[in-house]
Amino acid sequence: MEQPKVKNELPQDNSLNPLVNEYHVNDTWIMLLALRFINALVVRTFFQPDEYFQSLEPAWQMAFGPQSGAWITWEWHRQLRSSLHPALFAVVYYTADKAMIFLSFFPQFRAMILAVLPNLVQAYFAAVGDYYTWQLSERIYGTRSKASNAALWMTVFSPWQWFCSTRTFSNCLETTMTITALYFWPWKLSTFPVLGKSSDVSQQPPEEATHAKTPKSGVFQTSRSIKHLRISIVLAGTACILRPTNALIWFSILMPTLTGLLNKRAPISDYLILLREAILCGSIVLLTSLTSDYIYYGEWTFPPYQFLYFNISRNLAVFYGRNVWHYYLSQGLPLLLITYLPFTLVALYQASLLPSSNIRFVFTTTILLTLGSLSLIAHKEVRFIYPLLPLLHILTAPVISSFFQPSSSFTTTPCTTKDGKVITSSTTTLTTTTTTTKHKPLLYTLLTLNALIALYTTLSHQSGVLRTTTFLRHEYETLALDGRGRLLSDPSAHLNDAYPPKPTTYTPSETFAAFLLPCHSTPWRSQLIHPGLQAWALTCEPPLHLPSTAAHELAAYRDEADRFFDDPQRFLRDEVGGKERPWPRYVVGFQGIEHHLRTFYEGAMKGFTVRERWRTRNSHFHDDWRRRGDLVVWEFVEAAGAAGA
């Protein structure tokens, strides 16, 4: 593999007219925005329950009230989560719903819009993250350089970005906030050489775009530079509130800054300004967070402390999984990078050889420190290191660009006059730069593989759970609502309706569906939408009542979902049919429970039988045996009716 030289190079300006760069920036931003909107609409698969239960469910409750049917998990009752993230979607939900009511949209159409709206909002933030990844790479490698272009296209063709960036995880917003904050960070305080201009020149403070200044010249000489510092601190502070582990990244970024203070890289006044703004902006972020949490929880609380207490001090996170110490190295990075992984390993090695004042070296130490620190925690998930992905793309970009476009050929052509005379003056010759692409079969193979992985994970793998909630919502609308979305039990039903009244066996007091699935296997109210669609599902509350020292009791603890899959017949006999778990109209489960369901129900409920109402494929494979096979919706009918059918 051909590798670029490891040295402290200044980023180069492309010397094009600023208007050309401006048009290029605008076109690229529109392309990224359109791409992520399409991305959001294409994603039809399930990844992790936190996508819904740590953001959209509390957001739904904020927007529509406690009677809206949102499922609020134990983490919110224990105040582990900041309300800032769901508050964002709550505003979107509330505003969009009021606008659609004002425009007299039918409830069925409103439900369809509300089901996809949060992902479209997140698509905007994903595009912002892509944009500032590209812009920061331009400041490092040069405007429209091969390396910065490679960083852009790596982001576009990243399977992980396509799979995850438009989902409503707090990690996704954290990633965007982190890379944007890093773009606006005053790197002159901690790195040398000074970063150059990006294509978006309007974003650059004049003093940072000039290499002529000495390293000791002031950083904060204009109001714009102060504004950019404030943007960076506010975004970094908010990211740390949303995900306290984000502080690991900023610890790594601040260390070179403090070293710069000792080395007198900038005047002491710059560091005093940094301290002043950190206190001011940090206080604003903290006050905003405290106020939001007070409004949501009804009392003063600080969720980051609760988060660290429950997950580290009490170590309750292991209840949801324990991973080997090398998980992030052996599984996390390969999942994030896929085909980029070999190039990234080379890039990390090369960057580690650079001077400690180089931004690529700082990024490398940030990545390694974050990976090392998070590896000490027993519970690990690949999305926990998602904020590192833009940095990995930026570091890998020059290695990939040099491998596939290792050299440029220059052709100098003398200019000629109309009479055919050749002008040999250096000022009148034309120089054409030709970039050659090597290893084309490998390049096309990698891009094709990335595209196939992205499409499979967003269209196929675990797609059944989303189709199931959509089916139940439509089934409820068919059985319970008239043509204008009014409950059939409402006296005004069918009033001014163009269609004749339709018969229904649905009653508003009935439980519509029960989910006999591993807990949180499907979205909830953010996809079911209608508050009248009453349902229940198996839960998996951790043993909050047990002390962390009760190792034997913790190991023996079985949650509700565990009890069902340990002995389905016993669970159905002892725990279903009461006030908390009434028998529903429909039961949702993977095909493996059908035998137990039929055996119990058709034996215990004389005169009734279990009939398959709907079936869909969920995934071709799964590491959890409980989630294998098709996803099925069963209904209970009278035996005579079943025989007649």
Side-chain angles (χ1 to χ4, degrees):
M1 181 182 296
E2 299 180 36
Q3 303 172 3
K5 294 181 179 179
V6 181
K7 56 184 179 181
N8 233 353
E9 294 180 330
L10 289 171
Q12 299 297 317
D13 186 5
N14 63 0
S15 301
L16 294 177
N17 189 299
L19 284 177
V20 176
N21 287 332
E22 183 179 350
Y23 285 129
H24 178 62
V25 165
N26 292 337
D27 291 344
T28 303
W29 164 245
I30 292 173
M31 181 270 290
L32 291 173
L33 194 60
L35 175 76
R36 291 307 171 200
F37 278 144
I38 295 172
N39 189 173
L41 296 174
V42 166
V43 173
R44 302 306 304 153
T45 55
F46 184 85
F47 176 29
Q48 286 274 354
D50 290 352
E51 178 181 355
Y52 304 97
F53 294 94
Q54 286 186 9
S55 57
L56 299 188
E57 290 303 308
W60 191 273
Q61 184 192 56
M62 290 180 189
F64 304 117
Q67 305 304 316
S68 60
W71 185 345
I72 306 301
T73 58
W74 71 272
E75 298 164 293
W76 296 95
H77 295 297
R78 295 286 178 159
Q79 304 173 356
L80 266 70
R81 304 293 174 187
S82 169
S83 60
L84 288 177
H85 187 226
L88 167 68
F89 295 109
V91 171
V92 173
Y93 274 142
Y94 183 84
T95 304
D97 188 61
K98 291 300 182 184
M100 289 188 288
I101 291 175
F102 177 78
L103 295 172
S104 301
F105 289 172
F106 288 175
Q108 293 92 326
F109 181 76
R110 283 162 39 206
M112 182 179 67
I113 296 299
L114 292 175
V116 301
L117 190 59
N119 297 95
L120 294 177
V121 173
Q122 178 56 38
Y124 172 82
F125 292 113
V128 171
D130 295 338
Y131 177 81
Y132 281 109
T133 299
W134 169 53
Q135 287 294 286
L136 182 55
S137 68
E138 285 205 329
R139 295 190 63 194
I140 296 172
Y141 302 120
T143 307
R144 298 180 70 173
S145 62
K146 290 191 298 182
S148 62
N149 288 337
L152 172 64
W153 292 111
M154 285 176 66
T155 299
V156 169
F157 282 96
S158 167
W160 180 267
Q161 287 287 75
W162 188 262
F163 173 65
C164 189
S165 67
T166 61
R167 298 182 186 271
T168 53
F169 291 111
S170 59
N171 310 88
C172 297
L173 186 59
E174 174 198 9
T175 300
T176 294
M177 287 183 167
T178 301
I179 190 60
T180 307
L182 290 173
Y183 173 82
F184 286 109
W185 182 253
W187 288 104
K188 190 176 180 182
L189 292 178
S190 53
T191 61
F192 186 81
V194 183
L195 301 190
K197 295 185 292 185
S198 62
S199 298
D200 192 353
V201 182
S202 63
Q203 297 278 15
Q204 291 300 314
E207 68 276 9
E208 286 194 15
T210 304
H211 295 301
K213 291 184 176 290
T214 64
K216 293 186 178 181
S217 60
V219 175
F220 306 114
Q221 297 180 351
T222 66
S223 59
R224 181 184 293 176
S225 62
I226 298 293
K227 175 185 175 182
H228 286 188
L229 174 63
R230 290 171 178 170
I231 292 173
S232 181
I233 294 175
V234 167
L235 291 175
T238 306
C240 292
I241 290 291
L242 295 182
R243 302 288 305 179
T245 52
N246 192 263
L248 293 170
I249 294 176
W250 290 101
F251 173 81
S252 303
I253 299 300
L254 284 173
M255 286 301 100
T257 304
L258 297 179
T259 303
L261 173 62
L262 298 177
N263 295 337
K264 299 181 180 179
R265 182 172 286 124
I268 189 66
S269 59
D270 283 338
Y271 293 95
L272 293 176
I273 292 174
L274 176 63
L275 178 62
R276 181 195 70 193
E277 296 301 327
I279 295 174
L280 174 64
C281 297
S283 299
I284 292 174
V285 170
L286 184 60
L287 181 61
T288 302
S289 174
L290 290 173
T291 303
S292 176
D293 292 331
Y294 177 79
I295 294 173
Y296 179 72
Y297 290 114
E299 60 181 350
W300 295 109
T301 185
F302 190 54
Y305 168 77
Q306 297 290 96
F307 175 88
L308 295 174
Y309 171 71
F310 275 90
N311 286 288
I312 296 179
S313 178
R314 292 196 59 181
N315 201 28
L316 284 175
V318 299
F319 181 73
Y320 297 104
R322 184 187 296 270
N323 305 87
V324 294
W325 67 267
H326 54 77
Y327 171 84
Y328 290 124
L329 299 177
S330 59
Q331 300 178 53
L333 288 179
L335 287 172
L336 278 182
L337 296 163
I338 309 293
T339 59
Y340 303 151
L341 181 61
F343 303 98
T344 301
L345 296 178
V346 174
L348 290 173
Y349 171 73
Q350 289 183 349
S352 68
L353 302 178
L354 290 167
S356 60
S357 61
N358 190 287
I359 189 172
R360 291 161 63 192
F361 181 88
V362 175
F363 282 176
T364 301
T365 56
T366 299
I367 291 167
L368 296 179
L369 176 65
T370 304
L371 290 175
S373 300
L374 293 179
S375 295
L376 299 176
I377 302 174
H379 178 64
K380 304 174 182 68
E381 294 184 35
V382 62
R383 60 190 176 90
F384 295 169
I385 61 172
Y386 184 20
L388 299 178
L389 185 58
L391 304 186
L392 291 165
H393 283 167
I394 291 173
L395 288 177
T396 308
V399 177
I400 283 189
S401 64
S402 65
F403 181 77
F404 290 108
Q405 293 182 332
S407 60
S408 299
S409 59
F410 299 89
T411 304
T412 301
T413 306
C415 293
T416 59
T417 61
K418 290 183 178 180
D419 57 4
K421 292 183 179 180
V422 177
I423 304 175
T424 58
S425 170
S426 61
T427 60
T428 55
T429 57
L430 298 177
T431 301
T432 304
T433 303
T434 303
T435 301
T436 59
T437 301
K438 291 189 175 182
H439 313 295
K440 288 185 179 180
L442 177 60
L443 175 61
Y444 296 149
T445 300
L446 296 181
L447 292 178
T448 301
L449 184 59
N450 281 2
L452 291 176
I453 293 173
L455 291 175
Y456 179 75
T457 55
T458 54
L459 292 175
S460 180
H461 187 63
Q462 293 201 87
S463 58
V465 290
L466 291 186
R467 285 195 295 270
T468 300
T469 52
T470 301
F471 165 78
L472 291 173
R473 186 176 78 240
H474 291 166
E475 189 76 356
Y476 174 81
E477 292 168 351
T478 301
L479 292 173
L481 305 180
D482 70 0
R484 294 182 177 272
R486 295 165 296 200
L487 283 172
L488 292 176
S489 58
D490 193 309
S492 63
H494 300 298
L495 188 65
N496 299 324
D497 199 341
Y499 301 96
K502 58 182 179 181
T504 182
T505 59
Y506 170 81
T507 58
S509 60
E510 74 176 68
T511 299
F512 195 76
F515 293 77
L516 295 179
L517 305 164
C519 77
H520 302 147
S521 289
T522 69
W524 200 248
R525 198 57 57 183
S526 61
Q527 292 294 316
L528 298 175
I529 305 296
H530 304 287
L533 197 166
Q534 300 181 51
W536 58 265
L538 300 177
T539 62
C540 52
E541 304 292 312
L544 300 175
H545 60 287
L546 296 176
S548 57
T549 55
H552 179 72
E553 291 83 352
L554 288 171
Y557 175 77
R558 309 299 289 169
D559 61 39
E560 191 175 60
D562 290 332
R563 295 197 302 273
F564 171 74
F565 286 100
D566 287 344
D567 190 342
Q569 299 284 336
R570 180 178 179 180
F571 183 89
L572 294 173
R573 182 182 68 249
D574 297 344
E575 301 192 44
V576 178
K579 183 178 180 181
E580 294 295 324
R581 295 285 184 263
W583 282 105
R585 173 183 289 263
Y586 296 123
V587 169
V588 182
F590 288 100
Q591 66 183 51
I593 71 167
E594 182 171 1
H595 169 72
H596 301 290
L597 190 63
R598 288 187 182 277
T599 300
F600 174 80
Y601 196 83
E602 294 178 0
M605 305 292 186
K606 302 299 183 182
F608 287 85
T609 187
V610 177
R611 182 172 67 183
E612 182 179 308
R613 175 68 179 83
W614 187 79
R615 176 186 290 260
T616 185
R617 184 191 59 78
N618 185 55
S619 58
H620 294 99
F621 61 91
H622 207 290
D623 57 352
D624 187 345
W625 64 269
R626 301 172 301 174
R627 291 183 166 94
R628 292 173 185 166
D630 292 344
L631 203 56
V632 187
V633 177
W634 297 279
E635 62 179 337
F636 303 123
V637 297
E638 294 185 11

